Amino acid sequence: MTGVELHHGAATDVGRVRTVNEDAFLVAPPVFVVADGMGGHDRGDIASGIVVEEFGRLADAGYDPARGPEVIAETLLQAQARIAEYDAGQRAGGAHDFAAGTTAVVALLIEQSTEPKWLLANLGDSRIYRLNDSVLEQVSVDHSVVQELVEAGVITPDDAAVHPERHIITRALGGRGRVDADFFVIPLSGAERLMLCSDGVSGMIDDATIGDILARASDPRDAADQVVAAAVAAGGRDNATAVVVDVVGLADDRPYDSDAQRVSLEQKLGALP
């Protein structure tokens, strides 16, 4: 994708409880990813690292911006295959029931009807938010047990924040759950600022706090730093990672034609009929 100017920032922290940071992120415009590894001793950091590596290859090789959903789905399947291969190797070495896993949220620039747009994808309970006119909105929908209970009307969103099963997710890469991502397409004008984050952020600070930080910090690097710092200050019970992306302009890709410009100017001045 060309013609879209992006500014971005990213931050991650192991937090105050964990000893290993199982989060991973990718900032390779126009590809942005946050992956939250799961499994503890089963090396969730390996799983999240694989996701970032696969999307890093995609960013390096380039992609067809008209095939966004297929491109993301194919990359996730490649990551899934690598994680499965890693698990099989560990089990063959004697680690019974070994199963590394990871969530993933992705933001990718695509073209739709010749217009650049954001294609967003999520798998698991890492989140994507957008900020417009200082109003924060969660774009992604958590793939979790508590989200299903909220949608069924069994519990409220406030209940979900403290529910004992709030960390049980229903879709992820690795393991035996569903691996099909949800996709969302939004115009660039519909997201002055995007934030991708692990649940070590969204699980520690509420949306009002996140929205306040994103609205106040003009530089996306500061925004990412401050969001992660707030999550750690609130207790840091998990690894915390945030990637913040701003669309700051659209460039005109049409080549500059000096001869045409000269003729146009002379016509305007009356030098030519």
Side-chain angles (χ1 to χ4, degrees):
M1 289 290 298
T2 59
V4 181
E5 183 180 357
L6 303 172
H7 289 179
H8 49 79
T12 189
D13 195 288
V14 69
R16 294 181 171 178
V17 176
R18 306 293 179 87
T19 57
V20 175
N21 193 342
E22 295 186 299
D23 287 358
F25 67 87
L26 176 70
V27 173
V31 182
F32 302 89
V33 178
V34 168
D36 180 356
M38 306 171 297
H41 66 280
D42 285 350
R43 301 304 302 272
D45 57 321
I46 298 295
S48 62
I50 286 173
V51 172
V52 164
E53 286 177 6
E54 290 301 322
F55 278 97
R57 290 192 180 96
L58 174 66
D60 290 340
Y63 59 92
D64 181 352
R67 294 184 63 251
E70 294 90 345
V71 165
I72 291 179
E74 290 164 3
T75 305
L76 290 173
L77 284 176
Q78 290 165 359
Q80 172 75 354
R82 286 187 58 194
I83 294 170
E85 182 180 5
Y86 175 72
D87 285 352
Q90 296 300 307
R91 290 194 291 268
H96 301 295
D97 296 324
F98 187 97
T102 182
T103 69
V105 282
V106 181
L108 194 74
L109 281 178
I110 63 167
E111 284 183 1
Q112 194 175 77
S113 302
T114 72
E115 293 293 327
K117 295 183 179 180
W118 281 118
L119 174 63
L120 311 175
N122 82 288
L123 194 60
D125 62 353
S126 292
R127 291 183 177 179
I128 305 172
Y129 291 92
R130 66 175 171 177
L131 186 77
N132 268 341
D133 296 325
S134 298
V135 177
L136 186 75
E137 178 187 357
Q138 182 181 337
V139 178
S140 60
V141 178
D142 295 351
H143 298 142
S144 65
V145 168
V146 293
Q147 180 62 34
E148 292 180 353
L149 293 174
V150 169
E151 292 175 355
V154 177
I155 63 174
T156 68
D158 288 341
D159 294 333
V162 295
H163 196 280
E165 296 183 347
R166 63 187 178 276
H167 298 302
I168 299 177
I169 63 175
T170 55
R171 298 191 214 175
L173 290 168
R176 301 173 181 84
R178 293 174 59 187
V179 298
D180 50 315
D182 287 338
F183 294 92
F184 309 86
V185 176
I186 58 176
L188 299 189
S189 60
E192 298 169 7
R193 169 167 283 178
L194 285 177
M195 186 182 80
L196 288 66
C197 69
S198 63
D199 73 333
V201 169
S202 58
M204 293 305 306
I205 53 178
D206 60 22
D207 286 4
T209 301
I210 293 172
D212 182 58
I213 293 172
L214 293 183
R216 285 189 293 103
S218 58
D219 190 314
R221 295 169 296 185
D222 294 335
D225 286 342
Q226 291 174 24
V227 164
V228 169
V232 174
R237 292 191 297 271
D238 200 351
N239 310 141
T241 300
V243 170
V244 179
V245 187
D246 295 346
V247 176
V248 296
L250 298 176
D252 190 343
D253 287 338
R254 292 172 296 179
Y256 179 75
D257 187 333
S258 60
D259 290 337
Q261 289 294 94
R262 178 181 57 78
V263 170
S264 177
L265 179 61
E266 289 175 344
Q267 287 175 331
K268 290 177 181 178
L269 294 176
L272 292 175

